Amino acid sequence: MDGRNNTQVSSFILRGLTDSAGIQLALFTLFLLMYLITMLGNAGMILVIRLDLQLHTPMYFFLSHLSFLDLSYSTVITPKTLENLLTSAKSISRMNCFTQLYFFVFLAATECFLLSSMAYDRYVAICNPLHYPVVMSLRRCCFLILGSYLIGFLDSFVNVLCISRLHFCESNIIQHFFCDTYPILALSCTDTHDIEVMIFIVSGTTLVVSLITISVSYVFILSTVLKSTSTSGKQKAFSTCGSHLLGVTIFYGTTIFTYLKPSKSYSLGKDQVASVFYTIVVPMLNPFIYSLRNKEVKNALCRVTQKRDGSRQLK
């Protein structure tokens, strides 16, 4: 190892989305509004599912965890982004940077397998409804949730362990608005080829396995629905699956566009826009995707509201 590799940077500078003060202020206002909507929407979804007994089913059990992940996911990225949009000093310590990266990868990987679990739940409900209560027992649901978090932990651990072993001895400017894998790899003054291959394999496996699970589940779902002669049954199936498919398409579309390619293909403009979608926009949209298209959630919200108003009148 040469001498220059012994000099380690203690902090990084997050370049951000733009250098224009006017655009930064506009983005701050927009992202703050989106973050508040994300917090209220996802916290509200969790609260409604918890308070309404009719939503204590496997489908909404998974949905409450999805809301928790989105809430946490956005909190890992957005507050620091908002801070950097208002200040001229956009520094982040090495430890805080790797911590942000760790939780970002952990929550993203966990969400991949949670979406797979939700697809499997819909498959059992539509293709094997008579055995649904037995197959999707509380124990099975907890196993799927814990499995998703465990895979997210392992994925994140490998990712951050590989990157933490790199040496950063020249530039410390991250060409991004948060600590992400490829922009950090681009700063290293050591050979990153083996680490890139390892991260690509781990991340690619996470995405591909979860996508295969979702795809196979929906192939069986579509086959079952098309064979059904009940129009109302078809409408209900498409209604419950449509929300999940829309959420999956947005999340996986932007994620695959950003990560399943060599780090040298990283583009400051295009990849940052995609990153804004899956770190800020998607967590905000999910509560609306799963509630506005779902009559059960709407009815539950009405019941919870009426129950609250009734308790106030009694007082």
Side-chain angles (χ1 to χ4, degrees):
M1 185 182 294
D2 56 44
R4 68 191 182 99
N5 286 346
N6 292 324
T7 305
Q8 285 287 319
V9 297
S10 59
S11 63
F12 296 101
I13 304 296
L14 293 168
R15 175 74 181 275
L17 293 163
T18 179
D19 293 327
S20 169
I23 297 177
Q24 285 183 1
L25 183 59
L27 287 176
F28 172 83
T29 305
L30 177 62
F31 288 171
L32 177 60
L33 179 62
M34 294 172 72
Y35 182 60
L36 292 175
I37 294 173
T38 300
M39 293 296 102
L40 290 173
N42 285 289
M45 181 71 77
I46 294 171
L47 189 62
V48 169
I49 292 173
R50 185 175 181 83
L51 292 178
D52 192 86
L53 294 177
Q54 293 187 33
L55 297 185
H56 289 186
T57 64
M59 175 181 172
Y60 294 103
F61 177 70
F62 291 127
L63 186 53
S64 64
H65 278 274
L66 179 65
S67 293
F68 171 74
L69 285 177
D70 283 338
L71 192 152
S72 304
Y73 193 68
S74 184
T75 301
V76 168
I77 304 297
T78 310
K80 184 62 179 177
T81 302
L82 292 172
E83 178 188 338
N84 289 343
L85 286 171
L86 283 184
T87 60
S88 56
K90 305 178 186 297
S91 65
I92 183 171
S93 70
R94 182 187 177 99
M95 178 61 71
N96 287 342
C97 184
F98 287 161
T99 300
Q100 185 184 57
L101 175 64
Y102 174 83
F103 281 104
F104 165 68
V105 176
F106 166 63
L107 293 166
T110 302
E111 184 157 333
C112 284
F113 281 93
L114 180 61
L115 291 171
S116 300
S117 299
M118 293 173 72
Y120 174 72
D121 171 71
R122 292 298 84 206
Y123 155 73
V124 177
I126 294 172
C127 300
N128 198 6
L130 295 179
H131 295 90
Y132 180 74
V134 177
V135 176
M136 297 306 296
S137 62
L138 179 60
R139 183 177 180 180
R140 176 70 61 86
C141 291
C142 290
F143 175 79
L144 290 171
I145 290 292
L146 290 174
S148 298
Y149 281 101
L150 178 60
I151 292 170
F153 168 77
L154 294 175
D155 196 344
S156 182
F157 180 78
V158 172
N159 192 298
V160 175
L161 179 64
C162 289
I163 290 180
S164 64
R165 299 176 66 181
L166 294 175
H167 292 83
F168 306 94
C169 50
E170 295 175 356
S171 173
N172 69 334
I173 300 176
I174 298 176
Q175 302 291 338
H176 212 346
F177 62 92
F178 69 96
C179 292
D180 201 2
T181 304
Y182 286 155
I184 294 177
L185 285 172
L187 295 182
S188 177
C189 53
T190 54
D191 183 20
T192 62
H193 179 265
D194 292 342
I195 289 177
E196 284 183 44
V197 171
M198 176 65 72
I199 291 174
F200 184 83
I201 290 173
V202 173
S203 301
T205 301
T206 298
L207 283 171
V208 171
V209 170
S210 58
L211 267 178
I212 289 175
T213 304
I214 293 170
S215 301
V216 171
S217 296
Y218 275 104
V219 166
F220 283 106
I221 289 172
L222 184 61
S223 176
T224 302
V225 170
L226 292 177
K227 291 177 183 177
S228 174
T229 56
S230 171
T231 304
S232 61
K234 288 182 179 181
Q235 291 178 344
K236 184 177 181 180
F238 283 122
S239 175
T240 56
C241 295
S243 301
H244 182 251
L245 275 176
L246 181 58
V248 165
T249 301
I250 297 173
F251 180 80
Y252 279 93
T254 53
T255 303
I256 291 172
F257 173 82
T258 305
Y259 292 105
L260 288 191
K261 61 184 180 181
S263 63
K264 292 181 180 178
S265 301
Y266 179 80
S267 168
L268 180 60
K270 292 186 296 182
D271 288 341
Q272 279 193 326
V273 171
S275 297
V276 168
F277 265 91
Y278 65 76
T279 58
I280 299 176
V281 177
V282 172
M284 178 192 70
L285 289 179
N286 274 342
F288 297 99
I289 291 173
Y290 287 98
S291 63
L292 294 179
R293 295 173 55 88
N294 193 314
K295 291 182 179 179
E296 290 181 348
V297 175
K298 292 179 183 178
N299 293 336
L301 183 60
C302 291
R303 286 193 296 270
V304 170
T305 304
Q306 290 172 358
K307 187 176 179 181
R308 185 179 178 184
D309 291 340
S311 63
R312 283 181 176 178
Q313 290 176 358
L314 290 174
K315 292 179 180 180

